[in-house]
Amino acid sequence: MKWILVAALAVCILAPTADCTSETVAWCYHLPSCNASTWPKISPQYCNGTRQSPINIVSASAKLNANLTEFTFVNYDNKSAMKAIENTGETVKVTLNSGVQISGGDLSENYDSLQFHLHWGNGSSVPGSEHTVDGVRYPMELHILNSKSSYNGNTTQAVKDSTGLAALGFFIEVMPGNSSGKPESWYNLTSYLANITTKGQSVPIAAGFSLNDLLVGVDRSKYYRYLGSLTTPSCNEAVVWTVFKEPIKVSRDLIDLFSTTVRVNDSMSEHITDIYRYLQPAQPVSTQNNSVTTNSASTACFSLGLLLSLALGSLVCTYSLSPSK
Ligand SMILES: *[C@@H]1O[C@H](CO)[C@@H](O)[C@H](O)[C@H]1NC(C)=O
Ligand SMILES: *[C@@H]1O[C@H](CO)[C@@H](O)[C@H](O)[C@H]1NC(C)=O
Ligand SMILES: *[C@@H]1O[C@H](CO)[C@@H](O)[C@H](O)[C@H]1NC(C)=O
Ligand SMILES: *[C@@H]1O[C@H](CO)[C@@H](O)[C@H](O)[C@H]1NC(C)=O
Ligand SMILES: *[C@@H]1O[C@H](CO)[C@@H](O)[C@H](O)[C@H]1NC(C)=O
Ligand SMILES: *[C@@H]1O[C@H](CO)[C@@H](O)[C@H](O)[C@H]1NC(C)=O
Ligand SMILES: *[C@@H]1O[C@H](CO)[C@@H](O)[C@H](O)[C@H]1NC(C)=O
Ligand SMILES: *[C@@H]1O[C@H](CO)[C@@H](O)[C@H](O)[C@H]1NC(C)=O
Ligand SMILES: *[C@@H]1O[C@H](CO)[C@@H](O)[C@H](O)[C@H]1NC(C)=O
Ligand SMILES: *[C@@H]1O[C@H](CO)[C@@H](O)[C@H](O)[C@H]1NC(C)=O
Ligand SMILES: [Zn+2]
């Protein structure tokens, strides 16, 4: 019956309910008795599955799929969309008000955005993203969790559907230069960390910044797509993954706050660090052909075209740009 407890906790991470008992420890990242290598035993029906996340994305192996169009983001510009920020003991989670949604992007229907949370290593120099691209691990990764709108926020139903959840993954990397406290949206978000230093603490988020403000600088038309799972027990294989290619750039001091402010338990316990699952076996990944959508790429194509004739030019262009997709 242990797995039922674990399943209940997984749903707690998706959407906090009255059933969520914050004291119970069923899985963890760092104790030998419950770390990630024990998850296939704690929750064998899914964590031991064949469609598990996270994965290393091999950019050159991603199949082109023209159906991977842009998303529509509803209420991502709303500066009151964030409800509360919580230290769960495993991560920092921000719950969202109802009415925040995504659609498009080759998803089968509308999905409600329920919460986002973060994965990190140990400061900006010890990376802790969950997905890697061509073997590169980024300092942090933000996950926005979405559930099919037809389930009306009932994640118990959503995790039983192989596409019941849609996760948006955004890498976070260090902003170049020597800036601090940037961007302002991340300064605003991280200012709450000092209020949730111990496990179970939660404070409301005041109006002032939006999801779009946090996702600043990312071209959201460029992403990888694959079918995978939740990256924590019970690892349900119910997730349509979207991993955006461009990272959010956040100044080093703000990235460092995550691994130096929030703790796994009480004020005497250690800081929350290295909260990512190890890589799982590869899955088929697709991406859209956007090699000619950026200005620099089309300029390059055009110059080659002038030199080599238009037809040959576009061939060379497609060939030479594809490895960087
Ligand atoms: C989990 O703990 C075991 C036993 O201490 C250790 O051998 C293993 O490396 C740990 N695995 C992870 C993923 O932390
Ligand atoms: C996980 O699956 C592998 C291969 O199917 C199997 O050998 C192993 O015993 C399973 N482990 C658990 C804990 O179920
Ligand atoms: C794109 O969508 C069409 C219509 O739904 C479908 O028939 C086709 O298989 C899709 N292509 C890919 C690569 O998934
Ligand atoms: C923004 O979100 C708040 C809180 O959910 C909501 O009351 C308000 O109507 C939303 N604004 C718009 C323009 O949708
Ligand atoms: C994280 O980094 C800090 C500062 O470099 C170091 O003191 C600490 O031991 C590291 N923690 C882990 C778990 O590696
Ligand atoms: C979610 O759906 C399940 C299965 O249909 C049902 O038993 C449960 O009561 C629902 N939960 C909520 C909170 O509505
Ligand atoms: C970054 O800022 C620090 C402190 O202000 C300064 O000492 C250092 O030279 C700066 N580095 C660069 C590359 O600008
Ligand atoms: C940051 O928070 C302040 C105070 O609530 C607000 O005025 C400002 O617009 C916010 N800026 C961003 C970019 O989030
Ligand atoms: C966060 O903590 C500061 C300092 O203790 C306090 O002034 C502020 O009201 C707290 N904010 C929230 C939202 O609880
Ligand atoms: C967390 O801290 C509380 C209070 O000190 C303690 O009773 C409990 O055993 C701790 N839990 C873990 C998992 O360390
Ligand atoms: Zn996550």
Side-chain angles (χ1 to χ4, degrees):
M1 290 302 103
K2 201 170 181 181
W3 73 269
I4 293 175
L5 171 66
V6 173
L9 285 172
V11 172
C12 290
I13 289 180
L14 289 171
T17 69
D19 306 333
C20 296
T21 49
S22 52
E23 301 308 311
T24 321
V25 175
W27 62 270
C28 68
Y29 284 106
H30 298 308
L31 299 177
S33 58
C34 52
N35 75 10
S37 56
T38 70
W39 298 355
K41 292 180 206 120
I42 295 173
S43 191
Q45 42 286 97
Y46 305 120
C47 295
N48 201 21
T50 56
R51 194 189 121 170
Q52 290 290 293
S53 297
I55 60 167
N56 175 50
I57 294 167
V58 179
S59 61
S61 304
K63 294 254 182 335
L64 299 186
N65 180 352
N67 293 350
L68 297 175
T69 52
E70 296 205 26
F71 291 91
T72 300
F73 295 91
V74 177
N75 265 319
Y76 274 57
D77 59 350
N78 189 323
K79 292 186 187 292
S80 313
M82 286 168 236
K83 191 190 292 178
I85 184 168
E86 180 188 352
N87 174 345
T88 69
E90 287 94 21
T91 185
V92 166
K93 178 174 76 175
V94 172
T95 49
L96 303 174
N97 286 314
S98 60
V100 187
Q101 287 195 333
I102 58 168
S103 60
D106 205 27
L107 297 174
S108 57
E109 61 166 276
N110 284 6
Y111 285 69
D112 298 323
S113 304
L114 302 178
Q115 54 107 322
F116 72 82
H117 60 267
L118 295 129
H119 298 268
W120 62 83
N122 188 9
S124 49
S125 48
V126 181
S129 68
E130 293 218 289
H131 291 94
T132 61
V133 177
D134 299 331
V136 174
R137 196 178 293 282
Y138 287 81
M140 298 184 69
E141 187 171 333
L142 180 154
H143 287 160
I144 305 178
L145 255 157
N146 307 270
S147 174
K148 268 184 186 169
S149 298
S150 53
Y151 296 127
N152 208 11
N154 188 325
T155 48
T156 309
Q157 287 177 23
V159 295
K160 290 179 188 151
D161 175 343
S162 67
T163 59
L165 300 170
L168 306 182
F170 291 88
F171 295 121
I172 296 171
E173 75 173 14
V174 176
M175 188 180 274
N178 215 358
S179 53
S180 65
K182 293 274 179 306
E184 192 186 344
S185 54
W186 283 85
Y187 177 84
N188 285 0
L189 179 76
T190 53
S191 69
Y192 289 95
L193 294 177
N195 296 72
I196 55 164
T197 56
T198 65
K199 177 175 175 167
Q201 280 188 303
S202 174
V203 293
I205 294 190
F209 59 100
S210 66
L211 285 162
N212 282 348
D213 291 334
L214 293 175
L215 307 178
V216 59
V218 177
D219 179 347
R220 283 179 248 162
S221 69
K222 298 178 181 172
Y223 57 85
Y224 298 106
R225 165 64 48 79
Y226 77 97
L227 297 176
S229 75
L230 296 176
T231 64
T232 56
S234 46
C235 311
N236 303 66
E237 296 184 333
V239 184
V240 180
W241 271 101
T242 301
V243 177
F244 292 90
K245 296 181 182 182
E246 296 183 358
I248 305 167
K249 294 182 170 64
V250 176
S251 62
R252 189 179 293 278
D253 59 321
L254 299 185
I255 291 176
D256 289 345
L257 284 176
F258 286 92
S259 57
T260 56
T261 311
V262 289
R263 296 178 183 273
V264 298
N265 191 16
D266 59 17
S267 60
M268 303 305 291
S269 66
E270 62 270 42
H271 287 120
I272 300 178
T273 56
D274 301 317
I275 46 167
Y276 58 93
R277 187 187 193 189
Y278 56 84
L279 293 170
Q280 303 296 308
Q283 300 296 331
V285 174
S286 56
T287 188
Q288 58 289 124
N289 184 359
N290 48 28
S291 61
V292 292
T293 58
T294 69
N295 281 335
S296 56
S298 15
T299 306
C301 294
F302 186 58
S303 340
L304 282 167
L306 279 179
L307 282 170
L308 298 167
S309 92
L310 274 172
L312 182 57
S314 45
L315 275 177
V316 170
C317 172
T318 307
Y319 173 76
S320 61
L321 287 169
S322 53
S324 64
K325 271 195 294 282

